[in-house]
Amino acid sequence: MAKIKDNTVQVVFISLLLDLLAFTMILPLLPALLDYYKEIENDQGLYFKILHYIQSTRKFFNAPDKVCTVLYGGFLGSMYSFLQFLGSPIVGALSDIYGRKPLMLLCSTGIMLSYLLWALSYNFTIFVLARFVGGISKGNIGLSMAIVTDVTCAKTRGKAMALVGIAFSIGFVAGPMIGAFFAWASSNNREGAWYVIPAIFALFLAASDLCFIALNLRESLPPKNRALTLKSGISGAIAYINPIDLFQFNGVSGLSIQDKKSLRVLGYAYFMYLFLYSGLEFTLTFLTHYFFEFTSMQQGWMFLGIGLVMAVLQGCWVRTIPPNKTKSTAELGLWLVIPAFVCIGVAENTLALSIGILLFAISTAMVVTCMMTLVSRIGPENQKGVITGVFRSLGALARSCGPIIASLAFWYIGSRTTYLIGAIFLVFPPLILQSMKSL
């Protein structure tokens, strides 16, 4: 089977693109949203209760007062990622039993509900509830990877995974630009519930995604390839969310000793990489704003450049990498991210910063796509959903912790020291991956 079956990968691509456009458009709006809820909440509201703890943390690390909003945004982002960590492996496991499409529809419905709650969020508590519902429903990303795995073979899987990577690149370029447009349009009129219009637009994108999936997505996991049951009992449920069990892939059954060893190696390398990467990536906006005095527009151009480099590389090169070169390409990407963060950390002018950002974009285009391709080759067909779910969950756990640790280090020991220490620890992921046999 050298060809990809039917048009399922294209359907997944469009679905992911609609989902990511809605997901990323809130990012430029978040500071203004937090300022809005700060104005309308009284001192006893949820906003100020959380702010009290953030202020205490800021004072302890001697960070400037103006970063409180950024730290607040980091808290919400970490909460969102932590909820993904809880939901992804369970959603993946359920899809192995009941099929991919029903769980995709369930996740898409939850995401749509989260944007409806955002549109109705006349106070901060409802807004947090919206983020909670959205985070716990974000298992659709892992499901998309499982669907791609179902309908491809070893020869076509890398190409299909690269197409998924392109959807991420486009989504993370176009989505924030849409959000920036809404931020600009509402900048002179922040009276009343100005956030309703962008929230309704996100709701429209999510509803379109739900309808598109319902009408076009074919079930990719035939009944004969499905798992019979989840692991039984409370101990079985814990295996899908307990970090120790996740790193050991204990929620996956039917694995050979070599497959389990390979998954564990990939899991350790992926978690350490994303923990360090996501933290340094999150503080990049601090660095460019406070030390290079980038405006919001300049930061927008920076992320546009990153996204375009990633999209071009994934579309023209990564998707053509032969199966026997996937692991070595992932290792190369892991090595490239080290000089990227060294250049960014020691940069004293925009040229050095630009070189580091270019290396950052190149390595990012290579690593995640290739590692997801490697994961998709391991394990029995009736466990692909839980395998990709666990892998995505490990990534979400890393993303929930990394930005908080890196932000605190950024303000406590300085940007240069933070980036150089991060670069030193980034030596370990490629070394860990090298210990795995080629797939």
Side-chain angles (χ1 to χ4, degrees):
M1 183 176 87
K3 294 183 179 179
I4 297 174
K5 293 191 293 186
D6 59 57
N7 66 339
T8 300
V9 174
Q10 288 76 17
V11 172
V12 169
F13 172 82
I14 295 172
S15 173
L16 274 177
L17 188 56
L18 289 170
D19 175 67
L20 291 167
L21 287 174
F23 169 69
T24 58
M25 63 172 283
I26 194 176
L27 300 179
L29 296 167
L30 198 53
L33 278 167
L34 293 176
D35 289 341
Y36 169 78
Y37 290 116
K38 183 178 180 180
E39 290 176 5
I40 66 170
E41 292 250 317
N42 57 51
D43 291 345
Q44 303 301 315
L46 179 62
Y47 181 94
F48 285 94
K49 290 179 180 178
I50 297 174
L51 182 62
H52 170 74
Y53 293 105
I54 291 176
Q55 286 279 21
S56 299
T57 303
R58 178 193 64 78
K59 291 176 182 177
F60 179 81
F61 286 95
N62 197 31
D65 184 65
K66 57 187 175 183
V67 306
C68 265
T69 298
V70 181
L71 292 175
Y72 215 129
F75 159 75
L76 290 176
S78 293
M79 180 194 77
Y80 198 92
S81 294
F82 181 75
L83 290 167
Q84 282 184 265
F85 151 71
L86 293 178
S88 291
I90 296 175
V91 168
L94 289 172
S95 77
D96 285 334
I97 300 172
Y98 301 108
R100 313 294 188 214
K101 186 171 182 177
L103 271 298
M104 279 289 283
L105 291 172
L106 180 63
C107 288
S108 298
T109 301
I111 292 168
M112 186 178 70
L113 177 61
S114 74
Y115 294 129
L116 176 61
L117 288 170
W118 177 24
L120 300 174
S121 58
Y122 58 86
N123 61 40
F124 187 65
T125 301
I126 298 177
F127 179 74
V128 171
L129 178 61
R131 301 297 291 171
F132 183 93
V133 173
I136 205 73
S137 302
K138 212 61 182 159
N140 64 317
I141 305 295
L143 284 176
S144 297
M145 304 298 182
I147 291 169
V148 169
T149 302
D150 291 339
V151 300
T152 57
C153 63
K155 292 182 178 179
T156 59
R157 193 162 297 152
K159 183 177 180 180
M161 288 293 182
L163 193 64
V164 170
I166 294 171
F168 273 84
S169 299
I170 296 173
F172 276 85
V173 169
M177 292 179 67
I178 295 171
F181 169 78
F182 282 115
W184 170 79
S186 62
S187 60
N188 296 322
N189 182 23
R190 290 279 167 84
E191 299 295 329
W194 58 270
Y195 59 84
V196 170
I197 294 177
I200 289 177
F201 185 73
L203 176 62
F204 166 75
L205 290 173
S208 300
D209 186 28
L210 177 61
C211 293
F212 181 77
I213 291 170
L215 295 174
N216 295 282
L217 182 66
R218 299 181 184 180
E219 177 55 58
S220 62
L221 185 65
K224 64 179 181 179
N225 291 338
R226 294 180 188 177
L228 297 177
T229 60
L230 288 171
K231 285 200 167 189
S232 60
I234 296 176
S235 61
I238 291 175
Y240 294 110
I241 58 174
N242 183 342
I244 296 175
D245 286 318
L246 285 175
F247 279 109
Q248 298 299 313
F249 284 83
N250 289 336
V252 186
S253 58
L255 291 174
S256 66
I257 295 175
Q258 183 56 50
D259 280 351
K260 182 161 283 194
K261 182 179 178 180
S262 296
L263 282 175
R264 288 172 179 174
V265 170
L266 277 169
Y268 287 131
Y270 187 63
F271 176 84
M272 181 172 285
Y273 163 74
L274 266 189
F275 176 80
L276 296 164
Y277 171 94
S278 64
L280 299 178
E281 177 193 38
F282 183 76
T283 58
L284 184 59
T285 54
F286 294 169
L287 181 75
T288 55
H289 181 68
Y290 291 111
F291 293 95
F292 289 90
E293 298 182 345
F294 275 23
T295 63
S296 297
M297 185 61 69
Q298 287 174 310
Q299 287 188 338
W301 284 112
M302 176 183 71
F303 285 109
L304 174 63
I306 291 172
L308 288 176
V309 170
M310 290 173 57
V312 170
L313 284 175
Q314 288 169 331
C316 299
W317 173 51
V318 176
R319 66 198 303 262
T320 65
I321 294 172
N324 64 329
K325 298 292 184 182
T326 305
K327 179 173 175 286
S328 59
T329 303
E331 290 174 8
L332 176 60
L334 289 171
W335 285 118
L336 278 179
V337 78
I338 298 172
F341 283 122
V342 170
C343 287
I344 293 171
V346 303
E348 296 184 353
N349 54 61
T350 53
L351 176 60
L353 178 68
S354 299
I355 293 172
I357 289 173
L358 177 62
L359 289 172
F360 169 86
I362 293 171
S363 66
T364 303
M366 299 162 66
V367 173
V368 176
T369 298
C370 289
M371 292 192 78
M372 286 303 304
T373 302
L374 291 173
V375 168
S376 68
R377 297 175 184 168
I378 304 174
E381 292 299 319
N382 63 359
Q383 294 286 291
K384 295 295 187 184
V386 68
I387 289 172
T388 56
V390 168
F391 201 69
R392 291 288 305 177
S393 187
L394 288 173
L397 180 61
R399 285 190 175 277
S400 70
C401 303
I404 294 177
I405 302 300
S407 297
L408 296 177
F410 186 94
W411 296 114
Y412 192 62
I413 62 177
S415 60
R416 178 168 296 191
T417 304
T418 299
Y419 278 82
L420 292 179
I421 290 175
I424 291 171
F425 280 100
L426 279 166
V427 170
F428 291 100
L431 293 177
I432 293 172
L433 188 59
Q434 282 179 357
S435 68
M436 187 185 78
K437 292 184 179 179
S438 297
L439 296 172

